[in-house]
Amino acid sequence: MEFLTSLNDTVTAMLGPMGPIILVGVLGVMMVIVTVSLMLVQPEDPMDKLKRSIQKPTSSEPSQRLRQGERNEQLQRFASFLEPQDTEALSKKQLELRQAGYRSRDAVRMFHFAQFALGILGLIIGLVYINLLGGGEGMSTQKTMIYTIIPGAIGYYLPSYWVQRRVGMRKEEITNGFPDALDMMLVCVEAGQSLDQSIVRVARELHASYPALAQEFEMVAYEMKAGKDKVSVLNDMGERCGVQDVSSFVTVLVQSTSFGTSIADALRVYAGEMRDKRVMRAEEAANKLPTKMTLATMMLTVPPLLIILVGPSVHNITQLGNVTP
């Protein structure tokens, strides 16, 4: 205990009152640098050597690369650090990023890299503000640590907030555009096109108005062309969108395909239900509007009204009180 006290006094005498915090920060940065250096000098994976030898073109063959070669090679070195080791957690994060519209193979790594980079940047901003810009003068140690940690925490959780916001926006866009997509699909099917052709046509027509929904239909079309089972493709679409209407639509199509019923009849019934549901959502939003406006109306109308009605009386009473007998 005496050793720690003497060490604290020495550091404080050398670096000032913020000496212990500066020392801890320097040690943390050094540990991060050492960890990154150790990760960079890891031995090469034998599978990477094999893929590189396969990807290396010969003199008589054109240059070709495996699909795995499309990944970011810089982030590949930090895969064990930037990706969850638990398969369930990794799948959950991949699904969340797909629902936000990020379908890259490095989406999870980029997300965790953004969290790490923005967190470190926030800590640096806090330290610069406290130590170099004079923001920490007169502050207690507790307040200084709070002002240092809060920017780092904001930077760390900012990517999560952005992804959740993107998920909400895409779900709202898909929900709003899905009834129109069903109507277009019904017209295509009744015109004699197959389900695959109608999905391709709907995806092409929806690009201008509902790009998120168009991307989902395009992915379904590409997977069907690649030979993937239609039921699996539709189920993946329902899970990827995360919207209850799309999941119910997938269930209707799967049941129609399983029992051999007419897809046009199923689409006609379900499209009518989706139109009615959209009208009900609009009516619900309209009915909520007066309740939401009540507080704003009271805050913006009642105080000016009181000032107009009571103000002259208060002024007259004040003037009468100032009159001397």
Side-chain angles (χ1 to χ4, degrees):
M1 193 67 181
E2 295 179 357
F3 172 74
L4 295 177
T5 304
S6 60
L7 179 61
N8 186 25
D9 295 338
T10 304
V11 173
T12 304
M14 294 176 60
L15 302 176
M18 299 297 299
I21 298 178
I22 296 175
L23 182 61
V24 172
V26 171
L27 291 177
V29 173
M30 291 179 61
M31 291 178 64
V32 171
I33 294 175
V34 171
T35 304
V36 172
S37 302
L38 293 176
M39 295 177 66
L40 288 175
V41 298
Q42 287 182 351
E44 187 176 7
D45 191 353
M47 292 299 298
D48 294 338
K49 295 181 180 180
L50 178 61
K51 287 189 290 185
R52 189 173 62 254
S53 63
I54 295 176
Q55 294 167 6
K56 188 177 298 183
T58 60
S59 57
S60 59
E61 296 179 355
S63 176
Q64 295 180 351
R65 291 180 61 85
L66 294 176
R67 293 184 59 188
Q68 287 83 356
E70 299 175 359
R71 309 196 73 159
N72 194 315
E73 300 297 337
Q74 285 76 19
L75 294 179
Q76 179 68 26
R77 302 177 180 179
F78 307 98
S80 59
F81 178 71
L82 296 176
E83 284 186 355
Q85 299 302 313
D86 186 10
T87 306
E88 183 178 356
L90 179 60
S91 301
K92 183 178 179 181
K93 182 56 67 176
Q94 286 176 344
L95 177 60
E96 182 181 2
L97 292 174
R98 288 195 188 102
Q99 290 178 352
Y102 302 109
R103 299 187 179 89
S104 172
R105 302 182 63 188
D106 294 323
V108 178
R109 298 178 185 176
M110 289 298 297
F111 173 78
H112 289 290
F113 174 75
Q115 280 190 321
F116 177 77
L118 291 178
I120 295 296
L121 181 61
L123 289 176
I124 292 175
I125 292 175
L127 290 173
V128 169
Y129 174 74
I130 294 295
N131 298 316
L132 300 182
L133 300 181
E137 294 181 358
M139 286 187 182
S140 62
T141 305
Q142 184 177 4
K143 287 186 177 180
T144 303
M145 294 182 66
I146 290 175
Y147 275 85
T148 304
I149 294 175
I150 285 180
I154 292 175
Y156 181 80
Y157 287 105
L158 188 62
S160 298
Y161 168 75
W162 174 258
V163 169
Q164 292 175 2
R165 186 169 177 269
R166 284 270 301 178
V167 170
M169 292 173 59
R170 282 179 59 85
K171 286 184 178 181
E172 183 179 0
E173 181 180 340
I174 291 173
T175 302
N176 294 333
F178 196 61
D180 296 336
L182 288 181
D183 291 337
M184 295 176 61
M185 190 177 299
L186 176 61
V187 172
C188 294
V189 171
E190 289 183 342
Q193 292 184 341
S194 64
L195 180 62
D196 302 355
Q197 294 173 338
S198 63
I199 289 176
V200 174
R201 183 59 183 269
V202 169
R204 185 167 62 249
E205 296 293 336
L206 287 178
H207 258 297
S209 54
Y210 304 103
L213 187 58
Q215 291 174 3
E216 296 296 336
F217 278 119
E218 279 184 349
M219 185 169 294
V220 170
Y222 289 147
E223 290 181 349
M224 287 183 178
K225 289 180 180 179
K228 192 174 180 180
D229 182 49
K230 185 180 297 184
V231 176
S232 301
V233 171
L234 294 175
N235 288 329
D236 291 342
M237 177 186 176
E239 183 180 6
R240 199 167 51 241
C241 292
V243 178
Q244 182 62 36
D245 295 342
V246 179
S247 300
S248 302
F249 165 72
V250 168
T251 303
V252 169
L253 286 186
V254 170
Q255 290 179 350
S256 177
T257 304
S258 301
F259 297 117
T261 58
S262 174
I263 296 180
D265 295 338
L267 285 175
R268 186 180 300 107
V269 174
Y270 197 73
E273 293 180 357
M274 288 296 100
R275 286 194 298 270
D276 296 339
K277 195 172 181 179
R278 181 167 60 180
V279 173
M280 292 174 62
R281 284 198 299 267
E283 293 177 351
E284 181 182 359
N287 293 331
K288 288 180 179 178
L289 191 59
T291 305
K292 293 180 178 179
M293 292 180 62
T294 301
L295 182 60
T297 303
M298 293 178 61
M299 294 178 61
L300 297 176
T301 59
V302 173
L305 184 62
L306 290 176
I307 293 174
I308 293 172
L309 295 178
V310 183
S313 301
V314 173
H315 178 72
N316 293 333
I317 293 172
T318 305
Q319 293 298 324
L320 290 175
N322 293 331
V323 176
T324 58

